[in-house]
Amino acid sequence: MTAEIINGKEIAAKKRQEIGKEVEKLKEKGVVPGLAVILVGNNDASRTYVRNKQKACQELGMHSVLIEMPEEVSEEELLAKIDELNHASEIHGILVQLPIPKHIDEKKVIESISPSKDVDGFHPVNIGRMMTGQNAFLPCTPYGIMVLLEETGISPAGKHVVVVGRSNIVGKPVGQLMLNHNATVTYCHSKTKDLKQYTKQADIVVSAVGIANFIKADHIKEGAVVIDVGMNRNEAGKLCGDVDFEEVKEKAGYITPVPKGVGPMTITMLMYNTVKSAAESINR
Ligand code: NDP
């Protein structure tokens, strides 16, 4: 069996068109969705991510603000800036690009963002709302994965989903969203004994580990759906996922490539969340 490729780039483009239409409707009502991104320090990868987020805002006709702070900025100054943005009416989404320097408490920073502007979906209030099935900002990468499945016509209901990785930003929330969609969910991580025993039972495998070529053909069952969240560099320095794509695509039913799989969905859902926040601000 050769897997059908889930084209994240195409699905993201379709979603961005829909988001663009929502932006137009909001502008007619006098609201321009605005995203503020705070970048602390001089991490090259972070700078690239931030640039891509700003570009996406511009392409959709949204307002975007970049606030750059030096590596040595104090926690107090950063929290004061977030407080200012929490009260700024033209800003509907606030994002602090992670990682931030070690001398600043990341949890405190995340919790200082107003839940109503937490478009990354990292605030405990939004995580709690997600867990209890209430209206929430869903974390962008897990949400993007759900949209990829939906757009491909794959329902998680009744399926066995095995999530490899349990980070707060990907593994844990993607498992929760699958559960919310009536899947049976198994979480695996670095302490799991005999990983294959679990992944081989999965109808859907989501890998969010961060190790190139980690998932091989003998990890999965024939016809399974394989979602590769990993963003790694191989020996040649080329971007690759966690999954040995060439090998696994001959056995899977569906597979996401890297690049052009999950990646393009993350920024798309960030735009979606910012527009959702702008729309909700009208009724507040
Ligand atoms: P983390 O490093 O926070 O988490 C990695 C997870 O993998 C941990 O839960 C860890 O287990 C688990 N793990 C590590 N080694 C093994 C192993 N040998 N067997 C089983 N599980 C293992 O990473 P993130 O969740 O932040 O990111 C994961 C990957 O996804 C990275 O490559 C990252 O770059 C990528 N990513 C991609 C995004 C996108 O937009 N496409 C967005 C975010 C991330 P334990 O908890 O026990 O340590």
Side-chain angles (χ1 to χ4, degrees), residues 199-227:
T199 52
K200 275 169 90 166
Q201 291 179 39
D203 301 307
I204 302 176
V205 176
V206 180
S207 182
V209 173
I211 303 175
N213 293 326
F214 182 72
I215 300 288
K216 300 281 189 186
D218 63 357
H219 279 90
I220 65 152
K221 80 173 176 194
E222 191 81 36
V225 177
V226 179
I227 306 291

Side-chain angles (χ1 to χ4, degrees), residues 110 118-124 126-127 130 137-140 168 173 273:
I110 290 171
D118 166 43
V119 286
D120 253 342
F122 293 167
H123 194 290
N126 279 310
I127 294 168
M130 173 185 71
F137 289 116
L138 302 177
C140 302
N168 289 334
N273 279 347

Side-chain angles (χ1 to χ4, degrees), residues 141 164-167 169-170 189-190 208-210 214 229-232 263 266:
T141 302
V164 192
R166 55 172 166 177
S167 71
I169 61 167
V170 188
H189 44 77
S190 69
V209 173
F214 182 72
V229 188
M231 285 207 309
N232 314 302
T266 300

Side-chain angles (χ1 to χ4, degrees), residues 60-73:
L60 290 168
M62 291 161 58
H63 172 55
S64 86
V65 184
L66 170 64
I67 296 128
E68 294 195 57
M69 295 185 135
E71 183 82 23
E72 58 280 4
V73 71

Side-chain angles (χ1 to χ4, degrees), residues 48-118:
T48 306
Y49 294 141
V50 164
R51 203 180 305 125
N52 290 340
K53 287 166 187 174
Q54 284 201 294
K55 192 166 156 256
C57 281
Q58 279 153 14
E59 283 168 5
L60 290 168
M62 291 161 58
H63 172 55
S64 86
V65 184
L66 170 64
I67 296 128
E68 294 195 57
M69 295 185 135
E71 183 82 23
E72 58 280 4
V73 71
S74 69
E75 185 178 285
E76 208 182 351
E77 279 172 278
L78 177 56
L79 295 178
K81 180 48 81 178
I82 293 171
D83 188 52
E84 187 188 312
L85 294 168
N86 280 340
H87 292 96
S89 59
E90 76 285 5
I91 296 300
H92 305 98
I94 304 169
L95 180 157
V96 179
Q97 185 64 47
L98 302 177
I100 50 177
K102 296 266 179 293
H103 67 276
I104 302 174
D105 183 343
E106 187 179 297
K107 285 200 185 81
K108 219 167 163 180
V109 169
I110 290 171
E111 289 187 28
S112 73
I113 297 172
S114 164
S116 65
K117 296 190 179 186
D118 166 43

